[in-house]
Amino acid sequence: MQKVSGMQRNRTYLYVIADTLFSAGVLFYLLLSAVYRGLPPLIGFFFTAMVVQKYENDVKFKKFGFTWFFSIFYLFCAEQIHGFNLFSVAIAYCIFYFVVYENSFKYIKFRNFLICFYVMISYVLVFVTSNAISAIKKSEYLPLSGEYLNYIVIEILLALLFFKGRLV
């Protein structure tokens, strides 16, 4: 006969190991994207991840977890490595949240398009905010090039792959 133990399985260590491996992998990708210009910086993807987690917090009452805070950290690192001005992502997210977030749920009912829209608007807002900060500082602007369009398309596909069905 088996003795019933009072101990329960604890998966806390598995979550810590998974979060650590995820963080190391994504930060390694961030460094690779700085070296190889063809790799997208995933700014739109993590911006959309923050929006999806904010939605889940508001509607489904899920608490902000590790990925919320890691997304903030990643976006601050990515903006510095890829030449955007400091806090341009934070200002862009605040503008997005107070102007676009609520209205987008009210007027756009096709949620997959909403995910695509969030990726596009994140790049537009970060680019415009960074150039506005450059204008205030009277420094040189970021050039608008076709690689942003490539980044947007790749990140839209990634966002649809990971976040499809989470904005219901």
Side-chain angles (χ1 to χ4, degrees), residues 83-154:
F84 294 103
N85 285 311
L86 184 62
F87 299 121
S88 61
V89 171
I91 294 169
Y93 187 79
C94 290
I95 292 169
F96 169 81
Y97 182 74
F98 291 115
V99 175
V100 178
Y101 179 73
E102 293 294 327
N103 293 326
S104 66
F105 279 109
K106 196 182 314 180
Y107 296 115
I108 301 174
K109 299 300 179 192
F110 186 54
R111 299 301 189 205
N112 290 336
F113 175 73
L114 202 56
I115 291 172
C116 300
F117 176 71
Y118 289 158
V119 172
M120 288 185 289
I121 200 74
S122 67
Y123 268 103
V124 169
L125 282 176
V126 170
F127 182 79
V128 169
T129 305
S130 183
N131 281 338
I133 292 171
S134 294
I136 292 169
K137 294 187 335 184
K138 296 181 180 162
S139 62
E140 79 179 60
Y141 298 118
L142 288 174
L144 182 62
S145 64
E147 68 184 6
Y148 288 114
L149 185 61
N150 294 335
Y151 295 163
I152 289 171
V153 169
I154 292 170

Side-chain angles (χ1 to χ4, degrees), residues 11-24:
R11 295 187 181 262
T12 304
Y13 295 119
L14 291 177
Y15 292 131
V16 170
I17 291 171
D19 289 343
T20 304
L21 290 176
F22 170 75
S23 303

Side-chain angles (χ1 to χ4, degrees), residues 1 19 23 61-62 64-65 67 73-74 123 132 147:
M1 226 176 185
D19 289 343
S23 303
F61 303 108
K62 289 186 178 179
F64 290 127
T67 52
F73 174 74
Y74 180 87
Y123 268 103
E147 68 184 6

Side-chain angles (χ1 to χ4, degrees), residues 71-81 86-90:
S71 296
I72 294 170
F73 174 74
Y74 180 87
L75 287 172
F76 279 120
C77 292
E79 77 179 348
Q80 292 304 300
I81 288 176
L86 184 62
F87 299 121
S88 61
V89 171

